[in-house]
Amino acid sequence: MKIDKDLHRQVQLKILDILIEIDRICIKHNIRYYLAYGTVIGAIRHKGFIPWDDDADIHMFKEDYKKFKEICKTELGEKYFLQDEETDKGYKMFLPKVRMNNTAFVQDCTKNWDMHQGIYVDIFLLDECPKNKKLQNMNINIRRYTECTKRGIYNKENTKNPIKNLIRPLVEKQVFLNIWEKTLYNHCKKDESFCTDINDFGNIFPRDVFETPRRVEFEGHMLNAPQKAEEYLTYYYGDYMTLPPEDKRVSHHGIIYIDLENEYKKDSIK
């Protein structure tokens, strides 16, 4: 779906409303969060959204998300919905989102899912990182395979393989992931100098780039970024200040349907 400039900006402003609501709750209740990935690039390089971006990402440490989720039960404004696998049974991704009610922002890979599909902000959870490199790689691969299977990415290739067809329901129910976490991941020696993004296939970051959140300008508002945001960006992206070629300045989220005033229904897409 090609989004015209005006609609694109209206989507960004809806996302900004969600970020402001997250910030309000986190500041009020002393919960750490940090702008993440391209949203930090936007804050540092553009003082707002990357011009062609149509989403926003934040990090929370796992323990902070647990507190945030509990507080959202009473504190989150009526315009918004905190989505994860517990609050929305039709949701098949790992990473939580805060969605805006009465809007639609539908990706091709989720168009058939019976779930809330409003405009959103992604929450990428940070957790302890295994010290052993082999366990780090195992963590990445188990999480990647589990999420991709739940999202249906592997389903077509599995239909002719009886063993994979047998395993897939166990993967979708996170049986192997739960075994991995309870038997090894939760008990292995952790690297105190690093943390891992458990939602994005195990991206690893130096822990000291986060620390106490730092307030940065974003679309005329002050929001939280990693304390050492520039080091965070250099570690993950390298030269983050140089703009990509013009043909790369596009969204990569496969958006097929947008509605700023109504929730998504499957027959909305003709």
Side-chain angles (χ1 to χ4, degrees):
M1 175 182 178
K2 188 173 182 179
I3 306 175
D4 66 52
K5 188 175 181 180
D6 181 62
L7 178 58
H8 181 260
R9 183 55 179 165
Q10 290 182 67
V11 169
Q12 287 185 337
L13 293 176
K14 295 283 190 184
I15 295 170
L16 178 62
D17 285 344
I18 302 172
L19 286 170
I20 292 170
E21 175 69 0
I22 293 170
D23 180 75
R24 179 188 70 81
I25 293 172
C26 290
I27 294 300
K28 179 178 178 179
H29 295 279
N30 195 28
I31 298 170
R32 291 175 301 172
Y33 84 90
Y34 311 86
L35 299 180
Y37 298 119
T39 312
V40 188
I41 292 181
I44 301 301
R45 194 171 69 194
H46 305 277
K47 297 189 182 299
F49 289 99
I50 294 175
W52 53 91
D53 228 354
D54 56 14
D55 78 334
D57 304 324
I58 66 172
H59 283 306
M60 281 189 187
F61 280 95
K62 198 173 178 181
E63 61 269 25
D64 288 304
Y65 176 69
K66 290 178 181 177
K67 183 178 178 182
F68 178 75
K69 181 176 178 179
E70 185 62 29
I71 289 171
C72 279
K73 292 177 181 178
T74 56
E75 187 77 18
L76 189 64
E78 293 182 357
K79 288 174 56 178
Y80 309 100
F81 173 68
L82 178 61
Q83 181 182 52
D84 63 17
E85 291 180 306
E86 292 182 356
T87 64
D88 189 341
K89 299 303 181 183
Y91 186 56
K92 299 180 181 181
M93 296 183 185
F94 285 168
L95 70 165
K97 299 176 186 283
V98 176
R99 300 258 190 185
M100 180 174 282
N101 295 327
N102 300 313
T103 64
F105 194 71
V106 184
Q107 296 172 263
D108 185 54
C109 64
T110 68
K111 63 185 177 183
N112 295 319
W113 294 4
D114 184 17
M115 67 173 201
H116 195 306
Q117 304 232 31
I119 293 170
Y120 63 84
V121 168
D122 283 325
I123 304 175
F124 290 87
L125 302 184
L126 299 169
D127 198 9
E128 296 177 313
C129 178
K131 191 174 184 68
N132 183 284
K133 297 296 183 183
K134 290 183 178 179
L135 292 181
Q136 286 181 15
N137 290 330
M138 188 181 297
N139 182 50
I140 291 169
N141 290 328
I142 290 174
R143 293 181 188 282
R144 177 183 287 118
Y145 189 73
T146 302
E147 179 162 356
C148 289
T149 300
K150 286 174 69 64
R151 292 173 64 181
I153 293 173
Y154 294 148
N155 286 4
K156 290 183 180 179
E157 72 177 44
N158 289 349
T159 53
K160 296 181 180 180
N161 188 319
I163 296 177
K164 288 185 177 180
N165 279 333
L166 181 65
I167 291 174
R168 189 172 67 240
L170 299 176
V171 177
E172 289 178 347
K173 293 179 181 178
Q174 298 184 194
V175 171
F176 298 126
L177 179 63
N178 290 334
I179 291 173
W180 154 248
E181 288 186 337
K182 290 177 181 178
T183 59
L184 281 175
Y185 181 77
N186 290 342
H187 305 287
C188 68
K189 187 173 182 180
K190 302 300 192 301
D191 188 337
E192 296 181 0
S193 298
F194 289 85
C195 56
T196 182
D197 180 340
I198 63 175
N199 298 123
D200 200 12
F201 306 148
N203 287 338
I204 295 171
F205 297 98
R207 185 178 285 271
D208 68 358
V209 302
F210 294 102
E211 301 295 342
T212 302
R214 161 184 153 201
R215 301 295 272 179
V216 296
E217 184 178 346
F218 191 91
E219 299 290 342
H221 298 266
M222 300 304 290
L223 301 175
N224 284 0
Q227 177 62 228
K228 300 176 182 177
E230 292 82 1
E231 289 186 26
Y232 165 94
L233 291 171
T234 301
Y235 181 86
Y236 190 69
Y237 292 103
D239 179 13
Y240 62 90
M241 291 299 289
T242 299
L243 293 174
E246 286 194 24
D247 62 340
K248 301 295 183 182
R249 301 176 195 177
V250 295
S251 169
H252 299 284
H253 296 101
I255 304 303
I256 60 171
Y257 181 78
I258 296 173
D259 192 320
L260 300 176
E261 298 180 349
N262 300 282
E263 67 181 28
Y264 172 65
K265 295 179 173 57
K266 289 182 182 179
D267 59 1
S268 299
I269 300 175
K270 304 299 182 183

